[in-house]
């Protein structure tokens, strides 16, 4: 089905969603929509009060967040119109999906790549605990050695300096560095590879594998990543840098392949109790952090943009796509030379509701890009999460993004980067649906 017919499906589904309400509910359809919106607003308010209060207020907020949607469903069922609402929502979901598909032109072209010869002395570091034991499950060490790689499997009972292991390997003649592990370990070794201008290889043996996903690698079977040793191509991608002083006074510079987080989330993960009881730690610490009764007040400068006292800040190695229905976790490019900036500053239940009703768009969320981001605060030291690792850094903290600094070796044949669907622009969908002939088939009339 071409884009023109997909746009027509989107329009037809949207009209049908409204028609179902009008035909089967009549004037009551207005009440149905109003009740639904009220339920969403009350749920959002309940969640906000749950996160920002303690004691009996939190208990009432939790009750509201649960009771509001249930009450809406009961009211629909009592009126005998629950099926009407469900059918209308299903049609509207189809309309949104078809609208995004119609506006998608296949996404931006992939990152440039070039053929690469087989490395003579590849050196791979593997963490046996990553991803619940994927190194052993997929026999990654054995397979890599069969392909001629030197493999070091980390000792889970003793902490090892993976960056120093990588530097020693380079001194011993390694012409490729690779990691089977989480994004934090990937970043440390990637920094060494960039310093020495040798290729870096990612093996998707971590839990989330965000960096591997954005490189288009297979996250289900990490053994397929080893094909880069025998039939690989090379890409140049960006590598984020964070510069600051550490709490002990020493100056430090680290790299990140995904992001650096500041504010509420970074403060929560600093707690010693977070690892053992995440939910309880979050609920105990968030109220003071979100209401600025605890934690540092950040001052952020991202290019020409200034943010004062955001509750949370995420600086990413290239911006995340906002059309991803799975969340802000997907980057279609890693070579734009731009940091992604996401700032959250929700001051009230009303702003939390606005964010929910507008699909993540509203006064409480700032989205931008910049080549450099500087974070200062009213305290000399702030918590920072760098690719999931909790740090304490002295302010100001500077994030920058040297363009295409890292050489990445990936398999020639791989799944590819999933494309994020664009937000639905109904004017563009309508123009595309009504355009006839070669114009519709050849280019987007919008």
């Amino acid at each position: 089905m071409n884009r023109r017919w997909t746009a027509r499906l989107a329009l037809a589904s949207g009209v049908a969603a409204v028609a179902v309400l009008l035909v089967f509910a009549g004037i009551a359809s207005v009440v149905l929509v109003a009740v639904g919106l009220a339920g969403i607003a009350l749920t959002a308010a309940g969640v906000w009060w749950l996160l920002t209060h303690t004691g009996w207020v939190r208990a009432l907020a939790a009750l509201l967040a649960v009771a509001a949607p249930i009450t809406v469903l009961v009211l629909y069922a009592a009126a005998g119109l629950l099926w009407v609402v469900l059918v209308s929502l299903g049609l509207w979901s189809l309309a949104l999906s078809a609208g995004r598909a119609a506006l998608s032109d296949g996404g931006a072209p992939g990152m440039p790549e070039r053929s690469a010869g087989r490395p003579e002395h590849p050196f791979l570091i593997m963490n046996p605990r990553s991803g619940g034991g994927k190194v052993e499950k997929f026999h990654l060490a054995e397979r890599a050695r069969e392909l001629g790689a030197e493999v070091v499997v980390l000792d889970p009972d003793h902490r090892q300096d993976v960056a120093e292991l990588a530097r020693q390997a380079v001194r011993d003649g390694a012409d490729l560095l690779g990691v089977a592990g989480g994004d934090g370990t990937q970043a440390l070794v990637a920094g060494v590879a960039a310093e020495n201008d040798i290729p870096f290889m990612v093996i998707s043996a971590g839990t989330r594998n965000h960096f591997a996903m954005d490189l288009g690698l297979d996250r289900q079977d990490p053994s397929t990543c080893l094909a880069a040793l025998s039939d690989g191509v090379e890409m140049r991608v960006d590598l984020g840098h964070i510069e600051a002083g550490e709490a002990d006074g020493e100056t430090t510079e680290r790299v990140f392949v995904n992001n650096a987080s500041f504010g509420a989330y970074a403060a929560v993960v600093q707690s010693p109790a977070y690892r053992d009881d995440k939910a309880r730690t979050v609920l105990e610490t968030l109220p003071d952090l979100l209401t600025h009764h605890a934690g540092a007040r950040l001052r952020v400068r991202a290019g020409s943009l200034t943010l004062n006292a955001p509750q949370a800040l995420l600086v990413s190695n290239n911006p995340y796509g906002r059309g991803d229905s799975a969340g802000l976790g997907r980057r279609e490019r890693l070579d734009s030379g731009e940091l992604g900036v996401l700032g959250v500053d929700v001051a009230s239940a009303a702003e939390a509701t606005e964010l929910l009703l507008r699909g993540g768009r509203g006064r409480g969320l700032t989205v931008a890009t910049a080549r450099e981001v500087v974070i200062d605060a009213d305290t000399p030291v702030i918590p920072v999460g760098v690719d999931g690792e909790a740090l304490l850094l002295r302010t100001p903290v500077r994030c920058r993004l040297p363009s295409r600094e890292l050489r990445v070796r990936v398999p020639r044949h791989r799944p590819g980067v999933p494309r994020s669907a664009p937000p639905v622009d109904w004017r563009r969908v309508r123009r595309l649906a009504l355009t006839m002939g070669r114009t519709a088939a050849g280019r987007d009339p919008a």
Side-chain angles (χ1 to χ4, degrees), residues 49-252:
W49 290 324
L50 172 69
L51 295 177
T52 56
H53 291 78
T54 58
W56 65 270
V57 175
R58 169 173 285 174
L60 291 177
L63 180 62
L64 176 63
V66 173
I70 293 176
T71 301
V72 169
L73 292 176
V74 169
L75 290 174
Y76 286 165
L81 296 174
L82 180 59
W83 73 272
V84 175
V85 175
L86 294 178
V87 170
S88 180
L89 288 176
L91 288 169
W92 185 246
S93 297
L94 175 60
L96 291 176
S97 298
R100 293 191 182 102
L103 296 179
S104 176
D105 57 2
M111 292 178 284
E113 59 185 51
R114 64 179 182 84
S115 296
R118 186 166 184 158
E120 295 182 3
H121 304 290
F123 179 83
L124 306 181
I125 297 173
M126 298 190 178
N127 184 347
R129 286 186 172 176
S130 288
K134 289 182 180 178
V135 169
E136 181 178 354
K137 177 181 178 181
F138 290 93
H139 309 289
L140 298 180
E142 296 85 346
R143 294 185 181 189
R145 291 185 179 114
E146 290 173 359
L147 292 170
E150 179 182 353
V151 180
V152 170
V153 179
L154 299 177
D155 184 347
D157 297 322
H158 297 87
R159 185 176 180 85
Q160 294 170 270
D161 188 338
V162 294
E164 183 54 35
L165 285 174
R167 291 190 184 97
Q168 184 59 51
V170 173
R171 290 192 289 268
D172 292 340
D175 57 355
L176 178 144
L177 296 175
V179 173
D183 290 324
T185 308
Q186 300 277 1
L188 292 172
V189 179
V192 177
E195 287 174 9
N196 294 277
D197 194 32
I198 63 175
F200 176 65
M201 177 178 160
V202 177
I203 304 171
S204 56
T207 302
R208 296 179 180 85
N209 296 302
H210 286 304
F211 191 46
M213 175 180 68
D214 296 333
L215 289 171
L217 300 176
D218 187 343
R219 295 188 296 163
Q220 304 304 316
D221 183 357
S223 67
T224 61
C225 300
L226 296 174
L229 294 172
S230 56
D231 185 21
V233 294
E234 190 172 295
M235 299 186 294
R236 283 273 187 178
V237 304
D238 303 331
L239 190 61
H241 286 247
I242 184 167
E243 301 168 358
E246 292 195 10
D248 58 10
E250 295 185 3
T251 301
T252 185

Side-chain angles (χ1 to χ4, degrees), residues 274-344:
Y274 178 76
R275 183 177 296 274
D276 296 327
D277 194 345
K278 292 181 174 60
R280 182 176 180 180
T281 305
V282 169
L283 290 175
E284 287 181 349
T285 55
L286 270 186
D288 286 341
L289 292 170
L290 293 179
T291 55
H292 294 298
H293 290 132
R297 294 180 69 89
L298 303 178
R299 297 186 296 272
V300 182
R301 187 176 72 253
S304 60
L305 174 69
T306 299
L307 299 177
N308 289 311
Q311 293 152 325
L313 177 76
L314 190 73
V315 180
S316 59
N317 173 11
N318 283 257
Y320 292 120
R322 299 193 65 201
D324 179 9
S325 59
L328 299 175
R330 187 176 294 175
R331 296 164 292 178
E332 293 183 359
R333 300 195 71 92
L334 290 168
D335 61 350
S336 72
E338 294 279 348
L339 292 163
V341 180
L342 290 171
V344 178

